[in-house]
Amino acid sequence: MKKILMELYNKKLQALINLDQRDELEDELERKIKLNEKRNTEIVKGNVKVYIEKINESESGQEEVLHQCHYKFLIKQKDQFYLEEIVEDRKAVIWNNELIGDCVTNFAKIAAQSPHSLDDYYVRQEFQYDRLAAVQYAERWWNSHNPNYKNFEVNCTNFISQCLHAGGAPMRGYPNRSGGWWMQQNNWSYSWSVANALTNFLSISKTGLRAQRVYAAEELQPGDVICYDFQGDGRFDHTTIVVAKDQNNMPLVNAQTYNSRMRYWSYVDSTAYTPQIKYKFFRIIDDTR
């Protein structure tokens, strides 16, 4: 069973590395190849590992295999090399030792996304944002969970909030779930854990954690935040943190839920991507004089 899955993912990997071996590929792989061409990057080496987590067998003999697929890509851009990693939770269906289907399972949308209230009445909180500490946290925890925080099935925004807090952004507003930005005593504000609410919060906050919206990805620096509306319907589904810039001055990001490290910011190669995707770019601002 594991052998069947490894053969599938190694075939995909080789199609990305050796472009002359490509035949009909999934849309996201084709988009990744086109993205590499646009960025003038190439995947020079890579590997993939499969971790089987659970097998459910039906009466008909079909096996539903819940597993994790961990890709590593060594990417070259001009004279620079960097390691991109993507972890996917997937579900495969196998029958008579043949693969019937395989899909990503870990890009669920949060159904209820609460608006965030205006909160200018809070007492002013000053802080200095330690971008290095935020990035170091993002590098340490991108593919695991800090036991000091509650973990969610859809964990992307919770993870970004942790990174911002590690950079010195102060929590505020407890216990009002619709105001401020906080996680305390096994409770949390919507802005801490929900992508759409954090997007709204960064747009309006005037004290403590706050941000300036910019309109080009290249204006961001490590420690800044990108919010994603995959469907283009006005509800933001995902958040990432910038951890580095490539040689074209474009952001590379870390994220959870669909755990990723040093990933190109646009998510064009994601299974969640649609042509209607919209972004909001936030530069974190502080009280540094």
Side-chain angles (χ1 to χ4, degrees), residues 92-232:
V93 178
I94 295 175
W95 186 65
N96 282 344
N97 288 322
E98 290 189 12
L99 184 68
I100 306 300
D102 177 62
C103 65
V104 171
T105 63
N106 64 341
F107 231 125
K109 295 179 74 172
I110 298 176
Q113 303 206 29
S114 301
H116 204 278
S117 61
L118 290 169
D119 57 359
D120 292 347
Y121 57 86
Y122 285 111
V123 175
R124 181 170 179 80
Q125 287 182 302
E126 294 190 357
F127 85 104
Q128 294 182 349
Y129 186 43
D130 187 338
R131 292 176 176 274
L132 177 58
V135 168
Q136 287 174 331
Y137 188 97
E139 287 284 86
R140 167 62 181 86
W141 293 104
W142 73 272
N143 195 32
S144 58
H145 301 300
N146 186 337
N148 293 324
Y149 291 93
K150 181 176 176 62
N151 181 49
F152 300 92
E153 182 179 356
V154 180
N155 206 58
C156 61
T157 304
N158 179 32
F159 171 64
I160 299 307
S161 289
Q162 292 173 33
C163 295
L164 295 170
H165 187 55
M171 297 184 193
R172 61 181 173 84
Y174 173 83
N176 181 6
R177 298 196 75 185
S178 295
W181 174 77
W182 54 271
M183 175 177 275
Q184 294 182 39
Q185 299 181 14
N186 204 34
N187 203 352
W188 56 91
S189 66
Y190 295 119
S191 58
W192 182 277
S193 60
V194 179
N196 198 57
L198 179 61
T199 305
N200 290 339
F201 178 81
L202 292 176
S203 299
I204 66 175
S205 179
K206 304 298 183 186
T207 183
L209 174 61
R210 57 199 191 279
Q212 174 188 1
R213 186 177 175 189
V214 297
Y215 292 88
E218 54 265 38
E219 295 183 58
L220 299 176
Q221 295 298 321
D224 288 333
V225 172
I226 304 177
C227 302
Y228 301 74
D229 172 6
F230 288 114
Q231 301 298 323

Side-chain angles (χ1 to χ4, degrees), residues 2 6 9 47-51 68-72:
K2 188 172 182 178
M6 285 295 298
Y9 300 134
N47 65 49
V48 60
K49 292 184 178 180
V50 172
Y51 305 93
Q68 193 174 80
C69 176
H70 187 164
Y71 284 105
K72 293 184 180 181

Side-chain angles (χ1 to χ4, degrees), residues 2 18-19 26 39 45 53-54 80 90 124 143 163 169-170 207 213 222-223 228 249 262 267-268 280 282 284:
K2 188 172 182 178
N18 304 307
L19 299 183
E26 296 174 0
R39 297 177 60 208
K45 214 179 261 191
E53 298 174 339
K54 188 177 181 180
Q80 178 182 345
R90 302 188 69 95
R124 181 170 179 80
N143 195 32
C163 295
T207 183
R213 186 177 175 189
Y228 301 74
N249 196 36
M262 298 285 278
Y267 270 62
V268 170
K280 283 191 177 179
F282 289 105
I284 304 302

Side-chain angles (χ1 to χ4, degrees), residues 225-245:
V225 172
I226 304 177
C227 302
Y228 301 74
D229 172 6
F230 288 114
Q231 301 298 323
D233 59 5
R235 286 191 170 189
F236 284 78
D237 316 289
H238 188 53
T239 48
T240 67
I241 186 168
V242 179
V243 294
K245 304 292 286 289

